[in-house]
């Protein structure tokens, strides 16, 4: 028996995570309806001022994704808590970094898919237009979702041990995500309204740097979090 | 050259808060032996198995499994040890076969071994229902199939007969004998003392984390 390496284990666990998500589609449905409801509520709360709604559309998108991420992250560790599956992985033994990477990437993929679903809704609901290219918007959504997923997966693992885990996760996660949220919302606003000052690359760089730092920290710290 | 013992515990203690689960326990078990752990609920049997499996770290003392220091190289120990525990370590939304295929890939062995492991515990590889529809006995069998797939050098069995019907108990006894006959060192914790005595050659009785003459 020769245990697979980090990348091979990550791939096996990533496929397993997506399969588990697919099998429990009711959770995905709940996530979609929750994010749509959040978008609608923001629109209703600010009234019929379409110019204001359009200007803030980027912020609504990322707040909807952020709030939905708490549900998705909590759920992804509930699956691992059931039957002590996470402990089972440790005892195989699986490299703990592979567990972090697979779960983080699976969470990012789920959030990115949700983001791509919400963009047409924003276009229809708030009459926003994609002024910059779709490629720039996709890069922003990808990096933004990776930015939520890395600390979210790390804190999701920490919170999963706590009794008040549903409260603890947003308390830990939201303050950390402020720079990423600002960068993602500002960048999305530029995609929707145009970028005459050429600021978009700076926000993208900020998001990318946030990703590098938190994915790096996750790889280092996650093994300590899931050991006893 | 004679190989060293399978398990060596020296002055191992484990404390949960103010409660001592194991108190300065020392033990040596030769390779291929079978040890029956007995004792009342809360006597430390499960904690001892979890310490041996490296699921928990002892508060003090040293544990060596097949010559490897469990504190220094837990992953090396984990690769050689299989734990059948109260928890089944499975994913509820996947079928029995899918669960075993994930395990096979993570162990680096062929997924073609998974159906055979299921059949060995009388579960059908064609049953594509998710685990959440399984009965308690079927879950226990699946947990045992995980153990067969891993083929550990040391098998730690925590109350394996719980939730099984009489036919299931008889079948499980036969499977444990097979495992032991294949050279696996067994540590079996159970309240079914008669079954345990038939399966094991050595016995350790624990009371409040301390070994007591049975």
């Amino acid at each position: 028996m020769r245990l697979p390496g980090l990348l091979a284990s990550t791939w096996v666990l990533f496929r397993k995570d997506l399969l588990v998500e697919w099998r429990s589609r009711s959770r995905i449905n709940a996530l979609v309806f929750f994010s749509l409801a959040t978008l609608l509520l923001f629109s209703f709360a600010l009234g019929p001022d379409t110019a204001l709604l359009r200007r803030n559309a980027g912020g609504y998108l990322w707040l909807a994704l952020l709030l939905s991420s708490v549900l998705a992250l909590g759920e992804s560790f509930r699956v691992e808590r059931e039957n002590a599956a996470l402990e089972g992985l440790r005892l195989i033994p699986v490299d703990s970094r592979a567990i972090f990477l697979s779960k983080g990437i699976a969470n990012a993929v789920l959030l990115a898919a949700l983001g791509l679903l919400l963009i047409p809704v924003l276009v229809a609901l708030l009459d926003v237009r994609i002024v910059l290219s779709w490629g720039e918007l996709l890069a922003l959504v990808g990096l933004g979702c990776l930015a939520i997923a890395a600390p979210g997966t790390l804190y999701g693992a920490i919170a999963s041990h706590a009794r008040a885990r549903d409260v603890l996760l947003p308390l830990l996660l939201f303050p950390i995500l402020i720079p990423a949220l600002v960068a993602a919302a500002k960048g999305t606003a530029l995609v929707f309204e145009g970028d005459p000052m050429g600021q978009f690359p700076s926000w993208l760089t900020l998001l990318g740097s946030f990703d590098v730092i938190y994915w790096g920290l996750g790889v280092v710290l996650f093994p300590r979090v899931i050991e006893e | 050259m004679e190989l060293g013992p399978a398990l060596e515990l020296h002055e191992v203690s484990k404390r949960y808060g103010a409660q001592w689960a194991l108190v300065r326990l020392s033990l040596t078990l030769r390779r291929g032996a079978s040890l029956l752990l007995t004792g009342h609920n809360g006597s430390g049997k499960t904690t001892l198995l979890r310490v041996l499996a490296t699921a928990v770290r002892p508060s003090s003392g040293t544990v060596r499994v097949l010559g490897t220091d469990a504190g220094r190289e837990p992953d090396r120990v984990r690769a050689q040890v299989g734990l059948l525990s109260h928890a089944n370590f499975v994913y509820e939304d996947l079928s029995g076969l899918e669960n075993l295929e994930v395990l096979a890939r993570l162990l680096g062995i062929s997924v073609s071994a998974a159906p055979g492991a299921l059949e060995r515990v009388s579960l059908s590889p064609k049953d594509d229902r998710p685990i959440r529809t399984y009965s308690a006995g079927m879950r226990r069998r699946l947990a045992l199939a995980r153990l067969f797939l891993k083929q550990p050098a040391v098998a730690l069995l925590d109350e394996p007969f719980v939730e099984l019907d009489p036919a299931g108990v008889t079948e499980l006894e036969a499977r444990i004998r097979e495992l032991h006959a294949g050279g696996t060192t067994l540590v079996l914790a159970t309240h079914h003392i008669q079954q345990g005595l038939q399966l094991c050659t050595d016995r350790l009785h624990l009371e409040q984390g301390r070994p007591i003459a049975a």
Side-chain angles (χ1 to χ4, degrees):
Chain A
M1 182 171 77
R2 189 162 176 269
L3 295 171
L6 177 63
L7 286 181
S9 300
T10 303
W11 176 240
V12 171
L13 291 173
F14 172 70
R15 283 171 57 194
K16 180 270 295 174
D17 282 335
L18 289 189
L19 184 61
V20 169
E21 284 298 338
W22 178 247
R23 286 289 161 75
S24 51
R25 283 188 290 280
S26 57
R27 291 205 294 263
I28 297 179
N29 293 340
L31 209 59
V32 169
F33 283 110
F34 178 79
S35 56
L36 288 174
T38 310
L39 266 190
L40 282 172
L41 286 174
F42 282 134
S43 311
F44 287 129
L46 286 181
D49 184 344
T50 48
L52 179 69
L53 288 172
R54 213 176 296 143
R55 205 163 54 241
N56 292 330
Y60 303 153
L61 171 69
W62 287 100
L63 279 175
L65 281 175
L66 183 63
L67 295 176
S68 306
S69 76
V70 176
L71 291 184
L73 292 163
E75 202 50 36
S76 74
F77 278 97
R78 188 195 58 75
V79 169
E80 298 294 342
R81 262 196 329 273
E82 241 179 357
N83 299 319
L86 185 61
E87 181 173 270
L89 292 179
R90 274 176 53 219
L91 297 181
I92 285 174
V94 172
D95 188 331
S96 304
R97 296 171 303 169
I99 302 174
F100 169 75
L101 289 171
S102 61
K103 203 152 272 303
I105 295 169
N107 284 327
V109 166
L110 192 65
L111 288 175
L114 198 60
L116 293 180
L117 189 81
L118 292 181
I119 289 168
V121 178
L122 274 180
V123 169
L125 199 69
L126 308 180
D127 194 27
V128 295
R129 291 191 184 86
I130 314 276
V131 177
L132 299 187
S133 71
W134 267 96
E136 284 163 315
L137 181 57
L138 291 179
L140 195 73
V141 169
L143 288 179
C145 291
L146 286 169
I148 296 174
T153 303
L154 185 62
Y155 287 131
I158 294 171
S160 70
H161 298 298
R163 204 170 293 171
R165 57 182 76 94
D166 295 334
V167 181
L168 189 60
L169 177 57
L171 280 179
L172 291 171
L173 184 60
F174 287 177
I176 292 287
L177 283 178
I178 290 171
L181 188 67
V182 170
K186 292 281 187 189
T188 310
L190 293 174
V191 171
F192 290 156
E193 293 178 19
D195 183 22
M197 307 286 282
Q199 297 170 18
F200 183 79
S202 307
W203 292 118
L204 209 59
T205 306
L206 178 57
L207 261 185
S209 307
F210 186 94
D211 287 348
V212 169
I213 291 168
Y214 275 94
W215 280 88
L217 276 176
V219 166
V220 173
L221 296 178
F222 190 82
R224 292 169 188 273
V225 169
I226 65 164
E227 281 294 326
E228 185 198 6
Chain B
M1 187 181 74
E2 190 178 329
L3 295 167
L7 304 174
E8 294 171 272
L9 283 81
H10 181 67
E11 302 269 306
V12 169
S13 298
K14 177 66 187 174
R15 192 172 67 172
Y16 294 106
Q19 185 77 30
W20 287 93
L22 292 175
V23 185
R24 301 182 68 181
L25 181 68
S26 294
L27 166 76
T28 303
L29 189 68
R30 65 188 158 75
R31 291 184 192 227
S34 51
L35 175 68
L36 173 65
L37 286 180
T38 55
H40 298 296
N41 289 333
S43 60
K45 304 188 297 294
T46 296
T47 300
L48 176 55
L49 291 178
R50 290 177 60 75
V51 164
L52 292 172
T54 73
V56 294
R57 286 174 190 269
S59 306
S60 63
T62 55
V63 177
R64 297 181 79 84
V65 178
L66 302 164
T68 302
D69 188 325
R72 287 170 195 260
E73 297 179 272
D75 278 355
R76 215 173 137 195
V77 170
R78 287 168 184 168
Q80 303 192 74
V81 168
L83 173 65
L84 192 145
S85 143
H86 296 291
N88 294 322
F89 307 138
V90 292
Y91 293 96
E92 293 278 326
D93 293 309
L94 303 184
S95 70
L97 183 62
E98 285 166 340
N99 267 291
L100 287 197
E101 284 177 347
V102 169
L103 177 63
R105 290 191 177 101
L106 293 172
L107 286 169
I109 59 178
S110 169
V111 291
S112 61
L118 278 177
E119 282 165 352
R120 209 166 158 190
V121 295
S122 306
L123 289 176
S124 169
K126 290 178 182 166
D127 186 351
D128 59 358
R129 289 178 301 150
I131 299 302
R132 65 174 73 258
T133 64
Y134 277 25
S135 67
M138 290 170 79
R139 285 163 186 267
R140 212 71 186 140
R141 288 164 195 260
L142 181 62
L144 193 66
R146 281 177 54 91
L147 208 63
F148 280 127
L149 196 64
K150 188 170 184 181
Q151 294 186 317
V154 178
L156 309 169
L157 312 176
D158 193 2
E159 295 294 353
F161 305 112
V162 167
E163 295 168 331
L164 289 176
D165 55 26
V169 169
T170 308
E171 192 186 326
L172 180 58
E173 279 179 7
R175 297 292 164 261
I176 293 174
R177 280 202 179 88
E178 273 178 35
L179 203 64
H180 190 213
T184 299
T185 304
L186 280 184
V187 182
L188 168 66
T190 183
H191 291 296
H192 292 68
I193 294 176
Q194 283 313 311
Q195 266 103 9
L197 287 172
Q198 286 168 16
L199 289 165
C200 298
T201 50
D202 302 299
R203 181 177 179 185
L204 176 69
H205 186 76
L206 291 174
E207 271 185 28
Q208 295 182 323
R210 293 178 172 85
I212 302 287

